[in-house]
Every structure is written in structure tokens, then in C-alpha cells.
């Protein structure tokens, strides 16, 4: 779990403003079914084959920014701030929502699942003002088993043996905020 606190006291000690951001980094997840990537524009730069069911894997980075109350920030008020903002509850909720939605969403794409996760974090946590996800795609491709006189390449939906690609094939980012 990550926490970042920024304090701005440039307007004077009675007008201190703060920003608190929580988050998680490199949460490695993989689901072996329930993720599609199809019906997209294909051109000479397209490297992925459209597929209706695929392995979805990523290392999730997620940050959420808390909406702090408009009272002045003081050392004496820190305990009240924790009660009002509910830092720990929001952090637990963000991790639970991320893991459960990633595992259960019949995903049209990584982008669609990422948006649903961010929406749910905002819906469940009134003190969270924005959520940012960064998800590098970690692709797995079927292994050519023709050397063993076994078919594993076509159609891709029927493949059973996969290997990971060394480098991420995309770095998907989104921030969802309250209006």
C-alpha cells in the first residue's frame, strides 16, 4: 500500500491545504478466461489478433486521491481527519473492488474493466475524489506444438498451452474523477 501526502502552507498557517493519495503498486493478476479483445480497427500496425476469449494478465498500479474536509489542517486535527476521511476503509475497499472485478468481469477489454473498477471505487467511497489505474498488458500467446504433431494454434480460442511474451504490449492508463 502506498501513501503520498502533500502539504501546502504557502498561504499561511491558518490556510494549510493538503492532498492525500493512497494506492497499490505491482499487484500481479491473471485470469485465464472471460476477457475479449475484438471488433477493433485493424491496420498494418495491428499486432494482436482479435479474440473472443483470452488470458488477461497485468501488474496493477492504482492510486486514489482523497477529498479532504475544508477545515484547516492542524496537528491537533489529524485524528479527526482520519475519522472523517476513512483512509483505511477506502484502501481496503479499493483493493477488494480491484481484485473482485478483475476476476469476475466478463471483460470486453482491459479499458472497460479498468473503468468499471474506478467507477465502483468512487461509488463505494464518498471521500475518494479520483482514481487512476495503470495497467501494462502482459500477453500470453499459444505455443506452436506442431513439432509434436499437436494442434494448438488455430483457432486461437481452442489453444490450451500458452507462453508469456517478454515485454508488455501496451500500457493502458485512465483517471476517473467525480464531476
Amino acid at each position: 500500500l502506498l501513501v503520498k501526502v502533500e502539504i501546502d502552507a504557502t498561504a499561511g498557517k491558518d490556510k494549510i491545504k493538503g492532498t492525500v493519495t493512497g494506492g497499490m503498486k505491482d499487484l500481479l493478476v491473471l485470469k485465464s478466461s472471460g476477457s475479449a479483445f475484438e471488433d477493433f480497427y485493424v491496420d498494418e500496425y495491428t499486432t494482436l489478433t482479435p479474440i473472443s476469449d483470452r488470458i488477461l494478465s497485468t501488474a496493477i498500479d492504482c492510486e486514489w486521491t482523497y477529498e479532504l474536509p475544508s477545515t484547516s489542517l492542524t496537528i491537533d486535527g489529524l485524528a479527526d481527519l482520519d475519522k472523517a476521511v476513512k483512509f483505511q476503509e477506502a484502501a481496503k475497499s479499493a483493493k477488494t473492488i480491484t481484485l473482485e472485478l478483475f476476476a469476475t468481469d466478463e471483460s470486453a477489454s482491459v479499458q472497460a474493466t479498468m473503468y468499471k473498477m474506478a467507477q465502483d471505487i468512487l461509488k463505494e467511497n464518498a471521500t475518494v475524489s479520483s482514481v487512476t489505474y495503470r495497467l501494462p498488458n502482459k500477453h500470453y500467446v499459444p505455443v506452436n506444438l506442431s513439432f509434436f504433431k499437436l494442434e494448438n494454434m488455430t483457432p486461437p480460442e481452442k489453444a490450451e498451452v500458452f507462453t508469456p511474451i517478454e515485454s508488455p504490449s501496451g500500457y493502458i492508463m485512465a483517471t476517473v474523477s467525480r464531476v
Side-chain angles (χ1 to χ4, degrees):
L1 196 60
L2 305 170
V3 177
K4 179 172 68 175
V5 179
E6 296 177 13
I7 303 296
D8 179 0
T10 57
K13 68 178 183 175
D14 294 332
K15 296 179 182 174
I16 297 173
K17 295 180 182 176
T19 303
V20 178
T21 303
M24 54 191 147
K25 187 164 178 55
D26 293 326
L27 179 62
L28 187 59
V29 292
L30 181 145
K31 66 192 266 182
S32 60
S33 184
S35 176
F37 193 67
E38 58 186 349
D39 299 327
F40 55 87
Y41 180 76
V42 177
D43 63 14
E44 68 269 20
Y45 302 108
T46 303
T47 59
L48 295 175
T49 305
I51 189 163
S52 62
D53 196 26
R54 66 176 179 156
I55 294 173
L56 176 56
S57 180
T58 188
I60 296 173
D61 289 349
C62 177
E63 291 181 350
W64 51 91
T65 302
Y66 295 96
E67 183 69 38
L68 300 180
S70 58
T71 61
S72 69
L73 296 175
T74 64
I75 294 295
D76 297 334
L78 289 180
D80 292 335
L81 183 64
D82 185 40
K83 288 177 191 170
V85 179
K86 302 178 182 173
F87 296 110
Q88 292 298 321
E89 291 91 339
K92 183 178 179 185
S93 171
K95 186 173 183 180
T96 299
I97 287 168
T98 298
L99 289 172
E100 287 182 3
L101 251 174
F102 184 88
T104 62
D105 184 42
E106 287 293 322
S107 176
S109 66
V110 176
Q111 294 86 340
T113 299
M114 182 171 42
Y115 181 71
K116 288 178 188 178
M117 293 185 301
Q119 274 188 315
D120 282 5
I121 291 170
L122 290 172
K123 184 171 59 176
E124 296 295 320
N125 299 280
T127 60
V128 173
S129 60
S130 68
V131 179
T132 298
Y133 276 102
R134 286 176 292 282
L135 305 176
N137 259 343
K138 296 181 178 283
H139 289 289
Y140 289 72
V141 296
V143 175
N144 185 347
L145 299 175
S146 62
F147 178 81
F148 298 107
K149 304 208 184 321
L150 297 171
E151 180 54 54
N152 190 56
M153 301 299 287
T154 56
E157 294 85 4
K158 299 292 184 186
E160 294 182 5
V161 180
F162 297 85
T163 188
I165 295 174
E166 186 175 332
S167 303
S169 298
Y171 193 72
I172 301 135
M173 301 184 319
T175 298
V176 179
S177 301
R178 296 185 189 279
V179 177

